Amino acid sequence: MPERIALHVNGRHVEVDRGSTVLAALAVAGVAICRRSVQGEPRGALCGIGVCFECRVTIDGVAHRRSCQILCREAMEVRTDG
Amino acid sequence: MSGRTDVLIVGGGIVGAACAAACAQAGLTVALVEADLAVGMDATAAGMGQIVAMDGSPAELALTRYSQRLWDDLARSLPEDCEYERCGTLWIAADDDEMEEAARKATRYHEHALQAELLEQRDLYALEPALRPGLAGGLCVPGDSILYAPRAAAALLAEAERHGARALFGCRVRALHEGEVELDDGARMAARTVVLATGARAAELIPELPIRPRTGHLVITERYPALVRHQLVELGYVKSAHGTDADSVAFNLQPRPTGQLLIGSSRQYGRADPAVDRVIVARMLKRAIAYLPVLHGLDALRVWTGQRAATLDGLPYIGPCPGRAWLFVAAGHEGLGITAALATARLLSDHLLGRAPEIAPEPYSPARAWLETVVRA
Amino acid sequence: MAERRTEVLVIGAGPAGLAAAAAAAACGRRVLLVDDNADPGGQIWRGEGRAHLAVPARFEVRCGVRVVDACGASAVLAESAGGVERLTFDRLVLATGARERFLPFPGWTLPNVVGAGGLQAMVKGGVPIAGKRVVIAGSGPLLLAVAAYLRSRGARSLLIAEQTGRLRLARFVLGLAGAPQRLRQTLELRRALAGVPLLTDAWPLSAHGAGRLEEIRLRTRRGERGERCDLLACGFGLVPNTELAALLGCRVEAGCVAVDEHQATSVAGVYAAGEMTGIGGLDLSRIEGEIAGYAAGGDERKARAGLGPRRRARRFARALERAFALREELRELPDARTLLCRCEDVSVGRAARYPSWRAAKLHTRCGMGACQGRICGAAAAFLFGWRCEHARPPASPARIATLAAQHEV
Ligand SMILES: Cc1cc2nc3c(=O)[nH]c(=O)nc-3n(C[C@H](O)[C@H](O)[C@H](O)COP(=O)(O)OP(=O)(O)OC[C@H]3O[C@@H](n4cnc5c(N)ncnc54)[C@H](O)[C@@H]3O)c2cc1C
Ligand SMILES: Cc1cc2nc3c(=O)[nH]c(=O)nc-3n(C[C@H](O)[C@H](O)[C@H](O)COP(=O)(O)OP(=O)(O)OC[C@H]3O[C@@H](n4cnc5c(N)ncnc54)[C@H](O)[C@@H]3O)c2cc1C
Ligand code: FES
C-alpha cells in the first residue's frame, strides 16, 4: 500500500497517495472548479502538464500555483476560488 | 478621393491618432498612413500609459499639465477598454534630501494649480503599506491617471473616422517631398500639410531632427489585486530619467486595473533591436524589490522593450519645420508621448486653423533642432 | 545566485532528453539532465521515467527544475523550489517536447472538458477515473493510447471521436504493412480497445452543463448526436514547445525548431531533439535524442549511425501528419462568442476583427495571460492562419526574484 498524505482542500480534510498531484486531491474532494476566469466563469484543469494555467489554486497562501504540477505534501492548505 | 487632403498624418501611434482626431473634428479632411497593420503597435503599445504632470522644466510641466486636462475632459467618453483610471502618483522620498525635493516639487505643482500633497512617513504607509520600511515620506499627486494606450489610440482614430478621416494601414512612407509623401510602393499622396508623427523613427524621414531611440524595459506580473493602489515612482527617478547618456534604472510601478503590476523603468541609448537586455532588467527589478519587497516572491509573466523618442533638451518637437511650412513635426516625446498626445494634437489644429493656442508653442518648435545642430557643428 | 557548470546540459527528461543524456554520457562527458516535472519520463513515461534510466545512470538527473530564460552566453537561468541558479554548459541539448493543440468550440471552457493526453497525465498524477464516462475526441493515435490507458485504470464507458476520415485512416493502416512492428502495435492497441466505439469523421460540436460538463453534442457520419459524459478529453494533435529555444536565439521555422543533420540548431553548441523539432512520436524522439547526444558529446561517427533510422522514422511521421491533418470544418466550430483566450476571456469574434496575432494581442489582450498564448496561439494559428509566436522572456512565468538574480553574473 502506498503511503497516504493528509491535506486540506478549502478547509476539508482529504487523503491521497503519496506522489499525487494537488489536482488529484481536488478531484478526490469533489472539486472540479480550480479558479474563476477574469469574467467570473468557473474553470478547471485543461492540459494536465503545466502549460495552460487553468488549474491555478492558492497553496499555503501562495496564489497562482499550478495544481497539476505540484505534488501533495502533508498538511498542505489548498484553496480554490470556485 | 474628391478634392485635396488638408492634413496627411504619417504614423498611427497615439500622437498620430490624436492629431487625426483633432484635425477631423475641426472640419479638416484628414488621411493617416501607418506602416503597421493596426493602430498603436509601436511605442504606444510598449509604454506604461501613465498620464502624468511632469515638471522636468517649466515647458514640460505646461505641456503635460495642459494635456492632462484634455485627457480628463475626454475620459468620460473613452470606451471602457481604454482602462482609464485616476489612480494618482505617489512620488516616494527615500531620505531627507528627497523629502526636500518633494517639497520643491509640491511648490512647482501648486504654481500650476495642480493638487499635490506632501506625505509624512506615516501618511505614506497608510496609503501604500507594502512599501519597504524606513522611507522618509513622499508626495501624492492625485490628478495623475493611467490608461491602456493602444485602445486609447484606437478610440481617437475611430473618432477621427467618424469625422471623415481615412486611415491606411500597411503603408510605409519612404520619403517626403514638397506637399507630398512617397510610399514604399512608389505611390505618392499629396496634402496641404504633412504631419510627421513617426515617434522614435522621425529622423528616418527628417535627418536633421536629432531624435534618438532610447530603450525602455517593462515587466508585467500575474494578477495581485489591491497590493498597490497608486502609481509609485521614486523621487530619484528625475535624477536618473533625465540624467546622462549612461544606462539607468529607476523604480516606477503601476497597478493595472487587471490587478497586474507593471514594473519599470530603464533608459538606454544605442540599442536599436527590440531584444531584452537581461542585465538591465535584473537591475531594474532589484531596485523595484528594494522599494516593494513583496515583489520578490511574485510571478512575472513577460518582459518587453520599447523605444522612446529622445531629444537633446527633453522636450518634443511640435510645430512647422523651418523652411518647409507644409511639414509639421509631432514627434520626440521621450517618455511622455501618451500624456502629451492630446496637447500635441491641439497645438497642431490651432496652428492649422490660426487659433490662438492655450499654451505658448515656442518651447516645442522644431526650429530648435536646426539651431542645436548648428551649435553642435 | 548559485552556479552549476557541466559539459553537456540537457533540458527536458522525456524520451528525447533521456536518450541524449545517455548518449552524451557514453562519450565520456559530464552530463546534467533537468526537467520541470517531479519525475523524469516526459509526457509518455510520466511518472515511470526512472524505469527508463539505465541503472546506474551515468549522468545526473534533477527534477523540479524549470529553465526560464537564457543567461548570458552558454548558460541558462533555472528556478526550483530551492531558488534560482545559473546552469553553465559547453554544449546544450534542448528536448522540451510538445503540448496538445486545443480547438475552441462552444462549451470548451467548462470544467471537465480536458486534454486527451492531459487527462492521461492527470490520472497518472492520481486523479481518480474509475467508473467515469469519458468521450475522447480530436485527432491522432494519441487518442487510442489514452483510451487504452484510461480503460486499464477503470474508466466505465468510453467513446472515441476521431475527426479524420475513415478512408484516410484505412489508407494509413494499410500503409503500415511496410512496417510490421508498427502494424502489430496498432492492432494490439485496437484489441485492447475491443468494444470501445471508434467513430471516424466525428468531432465535438459543443459541451453543456451547469458549472461542469454534463453532455456534449457530437458530429458523426450519421449526423448530430448527444452524449452524456463525465469528462470530454480533447486533443487535436500536438504543438512543439519552441519558446525556450527561441529565447536562446534558435531559428524556428513553421512552428518547429530548425535543426541540421546532427540536430544542431542555428546557435553554435545548441542542439534540439524530439517533438520540439517536429511532431514524430516516441521512436523519432529517441533517435533524434541519441543523435543530438552523440553530436553534443563529440562522437560524430555514432551520431551518424542514427541517420538511417531517423529517415525511416520521419517518413512515418509524415504519413501520420497526412493521415490526421485537421479538416477545414473544424474552423467553423466556434461561434463569435466562444472564447479563444481562456486566460483573458477574449472571444473568437473579438480577435477575428484584427489582421494579425500581434494586433489581436495588443488590442484585445488575447495571449497576454499566464499561458502567454500557448493555448490560444495554437488555436488562432489554425483558425486564422496567423503566425503566432512569442519570443519574450521568461519562457514561462518566473519569480521576480529569479529574473532579478540575472545580473549577478
Ligand atoms: C518603457 C516605456 C514606458 C513609457 N511610459 C510612458 C508613460 O507612462 N506615459 C507616457 O505618457 N508615455 C510613456 N512612454 C512614451 C510613450 O509610449 C511614447 O512617447 C508614445 O507612445 C509616442 O507615441 P507616438 O505616436 O509618437 O509614437 P509611436 O507609438 O511609436 O507611433 C509611431 C508610428 O509611426 C509608424 N511609422 C514609423 N515610421 C513610419 C513610416 N515611415 N511610414 C508610416 N508609418 C511609420 C510606426 O509604425 C508607429 O505606429 C513610455 C515609453 C516607453 C518605451
Ligand atoms: C499530454 C501529452 C501526453 C502524451 N502521451 C503520449 C502517450 O501516451 N503515448 C505516446 O506515444 N505519445 C504521447 N505523447 C506524445 C509525446 O510528445 C511523445 O511520444 C514523446 O513523449 C515526446 O518526447 P520528447 O522527449 O520530445 O518530449 P516530452 O516527452 O514532452 O518531454 C519534454 C520534457 O521537457 C520538460 N520541459 C519542457 N520545457 C522545460 C523547461 N523550460 N525546463 C525544464 N523542463 C522542461 C517537460 O516537462 C517534459 O518533461 C503525449 C504528448 C502530450 C503533450
Ligand atoms: S491543467 Fe494546464 S497547467 Fe495545470
Side-chain angles (χ1 to χ4, degrees), chain C residues 283-330:
Chain C
D283 292 344
L284 183 58
S285 293
R286 291 168 86 168
I287 297 165
E288 288 187 354
E290 203 165 279
I291 296 172
Y294 281 125
D299 191 334
E300 193 171 319
R301 198 181 51 79
K302 284 208 169 128
R304 299 193 69 81
L307 302 190
R310 187 182 61 191
R311 207 173 313 118
R312 286 187 288 281
R314 282 197 178 149
R315 205 176 308 133
F316 177 67
R318 277 195 299 275
L320 268 178
E321 194 182 309
R322 277 193 301 274
F324 296 101
L326 297 182
R327 61 204 306 147
E328 289 294 314
E329 291 101 310
L330 299 175

Side-chain angles (χ1 to χ4, degrees), chain C residues 58-100:
Chain C
R58 293 168 50 204
F59 50 86
E60 188 188 348
V61 188
R62 283 181 52 209
C63 287
V65 177
R66 179 172 305 124
V67 177
V68 296
D69 198 0
C71 191
S74 297
V76 292
L77 186 71
E79 98 178 8
S80 61
V84 47
E85 61 196 318
R86 174 175 145 101
L87 306 175
T88 310
F89 52 81
D90 298 330
R91 298 289 166 83
L92 172 66
V93 181
L94 295 167
T96 53
R99 55 183 178 266
E100 285 183 282

Side-chain angles (χ1 to χ4, degrees), chain B residues 10-17 33-36 38-52 149 171-174 197-202 204-205 214-218 231 252 254 265-266 304-309 330-340:
Chain B
V10 185
I14 196 154
V15 171
V33 289
E34 162 58 48
D36 213 322
V39 63
M41 304 264 283
D42 207 338
T44 297
M48 248 188 169
Q50 190 192 18
I51 312 280
V52 54
C171 289
R172 208 186 78 91
V173 170
R174 71 176 180 203
T198 54
R201 295 181 175 278
E204 289 175 11
L205 292 172
R214 200 176 188 188
T215 303
H217 287 78
L218 291 176
Q231 175 116 12
N252 186 344
Q254 180 180 101
S265 62
S266 70
W304 70 88
T305 60
Q307 304 288 348
R308 304 180 185 89
H333 293 83
E334 223 273 6
L336 292 168
I338 294 161
T339 302

Side-chain angles (χ1 to χ4, degrees), chain C residues 12 14-16 35-37 42-44 65 67 95-98 120 142 274-275 285:
Chain C
D35 192 287
D36 56 358
N37 283 301
Q43 302 313 345
I44 180 166
V65 177
V67 177
T96 53
Q120 174 179 273
L142 181 56
E275 304 284 52
S285 293

Side-chain angles (χ1 to χ4, degrees), chain B residues 11-315:
Chain B
I14 196 154
V15 171
C19 289
C23 293
Q25 281 170 334
L28 299 168
T29 53
V30 174
L32 180 147
V33 289
E34 162 58 48
D36 213 322
L37 296 179
V39 63
M41 304 264 283
D42 207 338
T44 297
M48 248 188 169
Q50 190 192 18
I51 312 280
V52 54
M54 195 66 105
D55 59 341
S57 63
E60 184 180 81
L61 186 51
L63 183 72
T64 53
R65 168 71 182 126
Y66 174 37
S67 209
Q68 187 173 65
R69 263 193 4 246
L70 296 172
W71 277 114
D72 289 346
D73 294 344
L74 187 65
R76 259 177 311 261
S77 56
L78 281 177
E80 205 176 315
D81 64 2
C82 295
E83 298 180 350
Y84 174 91
E85 201 169 276
R86 187 136 10 139
C87 66
T89 304
L90 261 183
W91 293 89
I92 300 162
D95 52 29
D96 292 346
D97 280 355
E98 290 184 3
M99 226 24 226
E100 282 171 27
E101 173 57 22
R104 284 192 294 273
K105 207 172 171 60
T107 312
R108 290 193 292 270
Y109 283 163
H110 292 153
E111 281 164 5
H112 278 78
L114 262 161
Q115 227 181 311
E117 190 192 340
L118 270 178
L119 302 175
E120 310 249 308
Q121 190 178 54
R122 215 186 27 211
D123 310 329
L124 180 69
Y125 292 114
L127 289 178
E128 295 293 353
L131 285 168
R132 78 143 195 267
L135 295 165
L139 180 73
C140 180
V141 184
D144 289 348
S145 47
I146 57 175
L147 49 67
Y148 184 57
R151 293 312 298 157
L156 288 164
L157 188 61
E159 171 67 8
E161 287 173 323
R162 268 193 297 280
H163 287 86
R166 287 186 313 149
L168 299 174
F169 292 101
C171 289
R172 208 186 78 91
V173 170
R174 71 176 180 203
L176 303 175
H177 307 287
E178 172 104 39
E180 268 185 350
V181 305
E182 181 183 326
L183 302 181
D184 262 352
D185 64 2
R188 295 197 175 203
M189 294 173 74
R192 285 200 175 83
T193 303
V194 173
V195 177
L196 187 78
T198 54
R201 295 181 175 278
E204 289 175 11
L205 292 172
I206 308 185
E208 294 90 340
L209 286 176
I211 290 182
R212 284 197 294 166
R214 200 176 188 188
T215 303
H217 287 78
L218 291 176
V219 177
I220 188 98
T221 69
E222 257 284 7
R223 287 168 155 82
Y224 300 101
L227 193 61
V228 169
R229 296 194 159 76
H230 302 78
Q231 175 116 12
L232 303 177
V233 189
E234 64 165 298
L235 269 161
Y237 179 85
V238 184
K239 289 180 236 155
S240 58
H242 300 286
T244 61
D245 269 13
D247 294 359
S248 64
V249 298
F251 173 57
N252 186 344
L253 180 143
Q254 180 180 101
R256 298 294 310 153
T258 55
Q260 294 172 286
L261 302 173
L262 189 50
I263 308 170
S265 62
S266 70
R267 283 177 153 79
Q268 290 169 290
Y269 283 115
R271 283 179 49 84
D273 74 299
V276 169
D277 175 345
R278 273 79 172 184
V279 174
I280 200 139
V281 168
R283 273 177 62 197
M284 185 175 101
L285 290 175
K286 276 244 158 81
R287 186 131 194 116
I289 293 170
Y291 276 90
L292 198 70
V294 288
L295 285 179
H296 189 267
L298 306 187
D299 283 337
L301 293 188
R302 191 177 171 88
V303 184
W304 70 88
T305 60
Q307 304 288 348
R308 304 180 185 89
T311 63
L312 294 175
D313 57 6
L315 288 176

Side-chain angles (χ1 to χ4, degrees), chain A residues 5-69:
Chain A
I5 288 187
L7 65 161
H8 289 103
V9 173
N10 295 334
R12 228 189 94 192
H13 176 95
V14 178
E15 282 188 20
V16 294
D17 288 347
R18 176 172 291 286
S20 299
T21 59
V22 171
L23 183 65
L26 298 186
V28 169
V31 175
I33 301 170
C34 297
R35 67 177 198 110
R36 292 277 162 183
S37 77
V38 298
Q39 292 177 348
E41 285 184 10
R43 292 289 166 74
L46 174 70
C47 74
I49 61 169
V51 297
C52 76
F53 287 77
E54 285 288 29
C55 65
R56 278 173 284 169
V57 298
T58 299
I59 299 179
D60 295 333
V62 183
H64 307 302
R65 302 288 90 185
R66 279 167 284 179
S67 62
C68 74
Q69 290 296 94

